[in-house]
């Protein structure tokens, strides 16, 4: 999985992955343009930017305009390290965070709209698992005929979140890879009890009536890799230096490490194939949103919205102010005339394998 992602990134934007050929619609103009296909890896900065803008545009066009609150659910450092060796449990974290909010809402007979994003990284690329959750500060009442307000308090959310995680780890004991010091169920339970007695950090941001702030914030990290290219300050083949914001001191710092350590820090955050970093719950859940979202729009007196796809020409035009499908010679439109299929991932894997061994590549 890690190797495949790195190979895709190395081939991104090259003819190796295939390309599309465009020609000028003007019969008297001979201009042609080649557009190479992207790798579509979630770990690629270029493809991550495109996916980010598409996701942000989709959410901003679909989410209802109401009061939203951003909540961050964190775990103690020791539990994060347990999850690093047991990544099969990561898929449960978003569900449990949403479950905490849904339980609070259910007591008031309300169904809110929720979307979550799982992060495994800190600003300095260390393993730091936490869940970002955005929820409406209101929702559909039980009979779905009125919109009712909601309020969330840290003192009630924190123990609920702590209980859900500890309960998950207790029940998963038989499937876990644990250090020798926690080799028995008794030792494991005793260790979990110690962490259950400690306060955990659940951060509630100030509620906002504009969901776009949450969407834009999360979008920067959800669809992009953990480190933007703009943060890389130095690389000489042996040493890597990158900048990051220290949340504790609120100052910008520089982190220096070897190239090998940097790759280890970076690639540990590549998600498993098919793993969904973004998930939706409440009236935004995929199985009910088609039925419930129109009711939400009506109750909030808003027009029904549909997500509009954002294509690559629109992205380039928005970023650089240039329409890539306008001929640079005569200003006519370019039209697609041919698609050339690129190499498969197996072929790319063989290519890089022989390149690494400095052996001739078989035909």
């Amino acid at each position: 999985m890690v190797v495949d992602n790195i190979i895709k990134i190395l081939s991104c934007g090259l003819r190796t992955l295939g390309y599309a050929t465009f020609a000028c619609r003007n019969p008297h103009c001979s201009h042609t343009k080649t557009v190479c296909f992207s790798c579509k890896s979630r770990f690629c900065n270029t493809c991550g930017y495109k996916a980010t803008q598409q996701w942000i545009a989709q959410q901003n066009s679909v989410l209802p305009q109401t009061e939203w609150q951003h909540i961050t659910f964190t775990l103690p450092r020791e539990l994060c390290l347990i999850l690093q060796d047991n990544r099969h449990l990561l898929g449960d974290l978003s569900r449990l965070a949403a479950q905490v909010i849904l339980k609070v809402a259910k007591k008031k007979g309300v169904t809110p709209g929720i979307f979550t994003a799982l992060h495994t990284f800190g600003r300095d690329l260390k393993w730091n698992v936490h869940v970002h959750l955005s929820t409406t500060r209101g929702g559909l009442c039980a009979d779905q005929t009125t919109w009712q307000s909601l309020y969330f308090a840290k003192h009630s959310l924190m123990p609920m979140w702590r209980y859900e995680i500890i309960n998950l780890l207790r029940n998963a004991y038989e499937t876990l890879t644990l250090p020798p010091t926690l080799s028995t169920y008794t030792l494991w339970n005793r260790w979990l009890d110690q962490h259950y007695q400690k306060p955990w950090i659940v951060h509630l941001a100030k509620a906002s009536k504009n969901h776009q702030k949450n969407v834009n914030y999360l979008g920067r990290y959800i669809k992009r890799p953990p480190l933007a290219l703009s943060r890389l300050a130095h690389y000489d083949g042996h040493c890597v230096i990158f900048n990051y914001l220290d949340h504790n001191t609120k100052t910008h710092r520089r982190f220096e490490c070897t190239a090998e350590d940097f790759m280890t820090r970076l690639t540990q955050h590549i998600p498993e194939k098919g793993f969904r970093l973004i998930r939706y719950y409440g009236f935004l859940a995929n199985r009910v949103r088609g039925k419930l979202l129109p009711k939400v729009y009506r109750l909030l007196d808003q027009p029904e919205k549909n997500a509009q796809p954002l294509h690559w020409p629109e992205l380039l035009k928005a970023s650089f102010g240039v329409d890539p499908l306008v001929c640079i010679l005569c200003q006519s439109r370019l039209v697609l005339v041919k698609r050339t299929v690129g190499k498969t991932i197996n072929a790319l894997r063989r290519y890089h394998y022989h390149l690494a061994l400095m052996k001739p590549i078989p035909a």
Side-chain angles (χ1 to χ4, degrees), residues 102 104-112 138-150 283 288 291-292 295-296 299:
L102 291 173
V104 173
K106 187 177 181 180
K107 292 179 180 178
K108 299 184 179 182
V110 178
T111 302
L140 294 168
C141 65
D143 60 5
Q144 301 176 4
T145 59
T146 58
W147 179 268
Q148 185 174 330
S149 297
L150 278 173
F283 65 70
V288 298
K291 174 184 176 182
L292 297 185
K295 295 182 179 181
V296 171
L299 291 175

Side-chain angles (χ1 to χ4, degrees), residues 212-252:
Q212 295 181 1
K213 180 179 179 181
N214 287 348
V215 168
N216 292 339
Y217 171 80
L218 290 177
R220 294 203 308 266
Y221 301 100
I222 291 170
K223 294 290 187 178
R224 290 188 184 182
L227 186 71
L229 291 176
S230 59
R231 290 173 55 197
L232 283 172
H234 171 75
Y235 172 62
D236 59 5
H238 304 284
C239 173
V240 177
I241 300 176
F242 62 87
N243 303 313
Y244 73 97
L245 175 65
D246 189 325
H247 280 297
N248 294 324
T249 62
K250 305 299 180 184
T251 59
H252 289 275

Side-chain angles (χ1 to χ4, degrees), residues 46-107:
T46 302
C47 297
Y49 175 78
K50 178 182 177 182
T52 295
Q53 298 306 311
Q54 289 174 329
W55 184 80
I56 289 176
Q58 182 184 39
Q59 302 312 309
N60 285 338
S61 64
V62 171
L63 296 180
Q65 285 287 357
T66 185
E67 195 172 43
W68 289 77
Q69 188 160 30
H70 181 196
I71 304 173
T72 306
F73 294 88
T74 71
L75 288 81
R77 174 66 177 163
E78 296 83 356
L79 268 63
C80 287
L81 295 178
I82 294 294
L83 291 174
Q84 189 172 21
D85 294 327
N86 299 277
R87 294 173 70 111
H88 63 283
L89 295 181
L90 293 177
D92 293 306
L93 301 188
S94 290
R95 174 181 59 82
L96 295 178
Q99 193 168 290
V100 168
I101 299 299
L102 291 173
K103 283 182 177 180
V104 173
K106 187 177 181 180
K107 292 179 180 178

Side-chain angles (χ1 to χ4, degrees), residues 43 74-78 80-81 83-84 87 90 118-130 201 225-227 231 242-249 253 255-257 261-270:
F43 213 64
T74 71
L75 288 81
R77 174 66 177 163
E78 296 83 356
C80 287
L81 295 178
L83 291 174
Q84 189 172 21
R87 294 173 70 111
L90 293 177
L118 176 69
H119 287 181
T120 62
F121 52 88
R123 292 295 182 92
D124 57 355
L125 298 183
K126 66 175 177 290
W127 183 262
N128 179 26
V129 180
H130 54 287
I201 297 176
L227 186 71
R231 290 173 55 197
F242 62 87
N243 303 313
Y244 73 97
L245 175 65
D246 189 325
H247 280 297
N248 294 324
T249 62
R253 303 183 63 180
F255 187 91
E256 181 175 346
C257 59
D261 183 34
F262 175 76
M263 288 303 297
T264 299
R265 282 174 168 265
L266 192 64
T267 57
Q268 68 178 331
H269 304 297
I270 295 179

